Amino acid sequence: MVMDINEIREYLPHRYPFLLVDRVTELTLGESIVAYKNVSINEPFFNGHFPHHPIMPGVLVVEALAQACGILGFKTVNKLPADGYVYYLVASDNVRFKRPVMPGDQLVLEARVERTKRGIWKFACRATVDGELACEADITCAERKVA
């Protein structure tokens, strides 16, 4: 199952400059997702992180992984933000950064469902660049109805 940016925008409430998933290349409902973020020098965070040595902030790498998790959750339960639902990032555990993410990189986002119970989802996540591990984390998200 492949999703382009137009379909991704249906499943994530985020918008520029905080939408961090450009395309989904694989998705198995209730199991896993593979997506990517094309990292451009035009990203607003590079103005200050760091001007002479631009590196994508680690918290944004984790956020990109969490957004991929949200897409997988939304698609699995067949709900949309437009229906009044949101996936909150509630925990990131065992986070490890292995290499910097820089302009020109394609950040591949992978998440696998470890377990789900009553709207709480636990995912095992990896972010890679050119097959090299950039970040790994266990991410927990909570599905909630918002008014």
Side-chain angles (χ1 to χ4, degrees), residues 25-141:
T25 56
E26 298 174 33
L27 193 150
T28 304
L29 297 176
E31 291 183 22
S32 63
I33 188 169
V34 178
Y36 65 78
K37 161 77 178 141
N38 290 316
V39 181
S40 165
I41 189 62
N42 296 321
E43 307 286 351
F45 49 79
F46 285 134
N47 288 329
H49 198 269
F50 301 99
H52 302 292
H53 184 65
I55 297 172
M56 184 175 182
V59 294
L60 293 181
V61 174
V62 173
E63 174 65 23
L65 286 166
Q67 288 182 20
C69 293
I71 293 169
L72 177 56
F74 272 126
K75 289 289 277 188
T76 297
V77 298
N78 197 28
K79 294 179 182 174
L80 295 168
D83 300 327
Y85 291 92
V86 69
Y87 275 79
Y88 290 119
L89 170 61
V90 296
S92 52
D93 299 303
N94 304 313
V95 178
R96 296 289 181 265
F97 298 100
K98 303 295 187 174
R99 76 176 300 281
V101 178
M102 301 162 69
D105 286 345
Q106 184 175 75
L107 186 63
V108 177
L109 311 164
E110 303 172 43
R112 188 181 73 253
V113 175
E114 293 287 293
R115 64 183 172 273
T116 180
K117 185 175 182 180
R118 294 193 318 251
I120 305 294
W121 297 69
K122 178 112 181 203
F123 301 90
C125 301
R126 294 170 37 92
T128 60
V129 175
D130 294 328
E132 188 179 349
L133 185 64
C135 176
E136 58 188 349
D138 297 323
I139 291 179
T140 305
C141 296

